[in-house]
Amino acid sequence: MQRPPQDDFLLKETNPHLGGGKVTGDKLTSTYDLVEQMQYLYVRVVKAKDLPGKDVTGSLDPYVEVRLGNYRGTTRHFEKKTNPEWNKVFAFSKDQIQASVLEVTVKDKDVVKDDFVGRVLFDLNEIPKRVPPDSPLAPQWYRLEDRKNEKTKGELMLAVWMGTQADEAFPEAWHSDAAAVSGADGLASIRSKVYLSPKLWYLRVNVIEAQDLLPSDKSRFPEVYVKAILGNQALRTRVSMSKSVNPMWNEDLMFVAAEPFEEPLILSVEDRVAPNKDEVLGRCQISLHHVDRRLDHKPVNTRWYNLEKHILVEGEKKKELKFASKIHMRICLEGGYHVLDESTHYSSDLRPTAKQLWKSSIGVLELGIINAHGLSVMKTKDGRPATDAYCVAKYGQKWVRTRTIIDSFTPKWNEQYTWEVYDPCTVITIGVFDNSHLQGGDKSGRDARIGKVRIRLSTLETDRVYTHSYPLLVLHPSGVKKMGEIHLAVRFTCSSLINMMHLYSQPLLPKMHYIHPLTVSQLDNLRHQATQIVSIRLSRAEPPLRKEVVEYMLDVGSHMWSMRRSKANFFRIMGVLSGLIAVGKWFDQICNWKNPITTVLIHILFLILVMYPELILPTIFLYLFLIGVWYYRWRPRNPPHMDTRLSCADNAHPDELDEEFDTFPTSRPADIVRMRYDRLRSIAGRIQTVVGDLATQGERLQSLLSWRDPRATALFVIFCLIAAIVLYVTPFQVVALLTGFYVLRHPRFRYKLPSVPLNFFRRLPARTDCML
């Protein structure tokens, strides 16, 4: 695949007409100021009265047709009704208007041909303009006219005006650019909507003990464990170590629960009778509505729950009336945690679940989704290439979805959204997708991804409008591909600078994550469950926000193994260490007198710091301050964006990409899997060698005083005694000066052989000779 030039993947600053005028970087005053104004002709068809019947019965099946040039929109028809009411709005884009007259016609639905009832004509030059916050235009009654423009029987209530996308009628209106979409479901799937993630809780089930269990086989000690099920989540405790009818566990099971609580918690106590056979000793069902909610680390009260014993009688399940067995548990909904459904590296919300623990907001984030251009072909319709693009933005619990622009590679959305900000160290994610649920769409019903953009709020200056065109980059098995560009306008407005600065001293996550931390495996499992719950709930909305869209926005597969990502992380570590490596090389040059003047200056500075040690820390902090002030001139002026070079996506090997896109478990042939396994073994072997070397150095340090090598330990102990006496009688400044001058000595007084301390350290024993 031919790669585009690297400059094509860069961020581009733009200068659009926002809110009707050019943006200058300062805060604008209008309320819809982060998008370009789009003019629309709105027609609200309210109702009709006194319509003439077509026969002696006076029956009529009326509907209204609104025609403007080649564009035609219709209302639904009513059967046998002369006073129908529609209350429907039609919106025609001014850019697509190719006529001077608007025609609103009332017709009678017929099997063969619809009959003309009457019409109302409007000259487009006479239509009034309306701009919010003006009140809606009041509809008026218009007398119908026949084809000869003469008044006829019947009246139609209409309101016609010119407005923008800021009009209240815009979201639910029929749009001329979506005239090809038919049906209520099709129209619903292309409209802009706002979604809210369900409120998620961690459910902690502390299983303590059970009493009076009744196993069927009394001749053996029961091997009892507890199995808990909440929806699609199933967890179990370990087998109790106390082999009796009163087992104990004291083990925590963690689940993710979403409001409203639709599914109960089901617990069963089971006895492992055989390797593949378990006997249920009792069950209980607990509604989450009755579970205590905990906001801090104080434990909630424990409770005893009755276990229902089920027996089979003539093939039917029957419940015993006697509750002999009981289970002792502590169950609570944890409101002090934040339920992680995103990676902590680019999370958009860090607040705890309980609203009582929320802090006040520190500002407002405003996002203007202006347009996209150069989008790739995502499908074919009737043999021609097409793309039906829409955007999804996610920040906090609020998801927004723009309307779908039909058959356009340069869609213009010009929609603006607002979020409250509670923490500046959060990230907003904007994704672009192709709507596959229209005519000619993908039969699999999956909305294809076009690209994604992340913007970290802490990298934005407050009250500044950022207008940039972001490249939409997607990694394919053939390599990284640019799918187009999206044009965004972003502004972060801070309401309290002091509160925002104070947040930088606070923990990133709520307190409970540090007082009672969850394990890494628990967090991974709970995040997986949380993303599944969010995707299922949002897919049940109308129109649905589909599972593949939610998973792409939440970056569900980011934890899977990737050779490319591993290389990128290694180079990131080397980039972090490059500063230390550069300092080491510079110090080596000082020690070897590569530049004698610099070395003499370092000697003088070292002498001053040793003689006046109280200047060491002030000197370090002053140096850091001067570096920060010096770099202020070259501070980043643009938000960060997806970097193909940092991601090692521009030069990734095709086989590595094929491995990254492989399913889990693998679906590749055995010879390819064997080759990849051998490659992974070779990489793991190098890592194993490095880890072993680190362990060897640590064990050599431990052996200094362990007497594993009695002669080495004796030498070290004698050296420590002599050093203690010498350092006691010698001033510290003299020792520091002698040590420093020895390290900085001239190359004439150096030897190429290793130093005595290094020789001694390398001779110390390690435990490598004890390994198999």
Side-chain angles (χ1 to χ4, degrees), residues 526-547:
L526 292 171
R527 185 194 168 199
H528 172 72
Q529 299 298 338
T531 54
Q532 294 299 310
I533 291 173
V534 171
S535 61
I536 291 173
R537 288 289 179 92
L538 293 180
S539 64
R540 289 163 52 186
E542 188 59 42
L545 200 59
R546 305 191 182 275
K547 182 179 180 181

Side-chain angles (χ1 to χ4, degrees), residues 625-645:
F625 167 76
L626 293 175
I627 291 177
V629 171
W630 179 257
Y631 282 157
Y632 181 77
R633 299 169 56 192
W634 298 284
R635 68 190 185 279
R637 301 293 296 172
N638 300 326
H641 66 289
M642 302 289 184
D643 192 334
T644 55
R645 183 160 295 169

Side-chain angles (χ1 to χ4, degrees), residues 41 76 97 370 373 394 418 441 619 741 757:
L41 170 63
R76 64 189 183 96
I97 293 178
I370 302 174
H373 55 88
K394 196 264 183 190
T418 304
T619 302
F741 288 145

Side-chain angles (χ1 to χ4, degrees), residues 109-114:
K109 187 75 173 178
D110 199 2
V111 178
V112 181
K113 183 180 179 181
D114 297 345

Side-chain angles (χ1 to χ4, degrees), residues 54 60-63 65 67 72 105-117 147:
K54 63 181 178 181
L60 191 70
D61 301 336
Y63 71 93
E65 177 184 277
R67 182 184 293 273
R72 181 176 68 93
T105 308
V106 180
K107 293 188 175 183
D108 179 24
K109 187 75 173 178
D110 199 2
V111 178
V112 181
K113 183 180 179 181
D114 297 345
D115 296 327
F116 175 86
V117 177
R147 298 186 187 275

Side-chain angles (χ1 to χ4, degrees), residues 153-452:
K153 185 180 179 183
E155 291 183 87
L156 189 61
M157 181 178 278
L158 297 171
V160 182
W161 71 95
M162 294 294 297
T164 66
Q165 74 271 32
D167 202 291
E168 295 88 349
F170 179 80
E172 298 297 330
W174 175 94
H175 291 273
S176 58
D177 54 7
V181 180
S182 60
D185 293 340
L187 289 173
S189 66
I190 66 172
R191 287 177 175 154
S192 57
K193 290 291 180 183
V194 175
Y195 304 84
L196 290 177
S197 295
K199 189 175 183 179
L200 301 178
W201 295 77
Y202 282 149
L203 175 67
R204 186 187 297 272
V205 181
N206 178 225
V207 183
I208 302 173
E209 59 180 333
Q211 282 189 358
D212 303 329
L213 298 179
L214 300 175
S216 58
D217 187 1
K218 303 288 178 52
S219 62
R220 52 178 288 277
F221 292 111
E223 299 181 8
V224 185
Y225 64 90
V226 177
K227 183 178 179 181
I229 299 175
L230 180 65
N232 297 324
Q233 307 170 64
L235 296 174
R236 47 174 289 180
T237 66
R238 68 185 187 280
V239 175
S240 175
M241 301 299 292
S242 55
K243 309 291 186 180
S244 67
V245 294
N246 298 320
M248 296 187 67
W249 296 277
N250 197 20
E251 188 172 342
D252 279 352
L253 304 177
M254 296 291 293
F255 297 89
V256 178
E259 291 186 2
F261 302 125
E262 300 172 347
E263 296 161 333
L265 175 66
I266 301 173
L267 294 109
S268 62
V269 181
E270 302 184 14
D271 179 17
R272 182 173 294 169
V273 180
N276 293 319
K277 182 180 179 182
D278 297 326
E279 177 192 1
V280 178
L281 303 181
R283 286 192 180 94
C284 70
Q285 182 171 302
I286 303 169
S287 173
L288 298 188
H289 293 94
H290 308 305
V291 172
D292 295 331
R293 302 188 179 192
R294 186 169 76 161
L295 305 183
D296 52 23
H297 61 281
K298 297 177 182 177
V300 298
N301 295 327
T302 62
R303 288 185 59 186
W304 288 94
Y305 296 88
N306 294 324
L307 293 173
E308 301 173 2
K309 179 71 174 180
H310 293 87
I311 57 175
L312 293 177
V313 178
E314 297 180 358
E316 296 182 358
K317 189 175 287 188
K318 185 179 178 181
K319 187 187 299 183
E320 284 189 354
L321 299 177
K322 183 180 179 182
F323 294 97
S325 304
K326 293 180 180 291
I327 185 169
H328 190 199
M329 293 185 296
R330 179 185 285 111
I331 304 177
C332 64
L333 289 164
E334 298 279 9
Y337 290 90
H338 169 69
V339 180
L340 293 165
D341 58 350
E342 305 166 289
S343 171
T344 52
H345 300 298
Y346 32 82
S347 181
S348 63
D349 189 13
L350 301 169
R351 293 171 293 169
T353 299
K355 202 167 185 179
Q356 302 93 308
L357 303 178
W358 290 4
K359 304 252 177 80
S360 58
S361 64
I362 61 165
V364 173
L365 171 66
E366 297 166 277
L367 172 68
I369 303 175
I370 302 174
N371 57 43
H373 55 88
L375 296 184
S376 299
V377 177
M378 303 304 296
K379 58 193 172 190
T380 57
K381 288 184 181 180
D382 302 325
R384 57 183 176 82
T387 297
D388 305 325
Y390 67 92
C391 285
V392 175
K394 196 264 183 190
Y395 184 78
Q397 295 181 341
K398 180 179 173 182
W399 300 65
V400 299
R401 170 178 172 159
T402 67
R403 68 191 189 282
T404 301
I405 306 299
I406 309 297
D407 286 344
S408 177
F409 301 111
T410 57
K412 293 183 179 180
W413 293 286
N414 284 304
E415 298 183 24
Q416 184 169 338
Y417 299 96
T418 304
W419 288 268
E420 279 191 305
V421 178
Y422 293 87
D423 196 310
C425 301
T426 47
V427 176
I428 182 172
T429 304
I430 303 102
V432 185
F433 302 87
D434 175 66
N435 196 329
S436 301
H437 295 80
L438 307 174
Q439 295 92 335
D442 185 7
K443 299 302 181 183
S444 65
R446 293 179 62 87
D447 288 354
R449 58 185 69 167
I450 299 178
K452 181 167 58 177

Side-chain angles (χ1 to χ4, degrees), residues 43 45 49 53-54 71 100 133 141 162 241 317 327 357 400 411 415 421 437 497 554 584 591 615 648 664 673 735:
V43 181
V45 180
K49 67 178 181 178
K54 63 181 178 181
Y71 294 98
S100 59
W141 286 105
M162 294 294 297
M241 301 299 292
K317 189 175 287 188
I327 185 169
L357 303 178
V400 299
E415 298 183 24
V421 178
H437 295 80
L497 182 62
L554 296 179
C591 294
L615 296 178
C648 292
F664 189 85
V673 175
V735 176

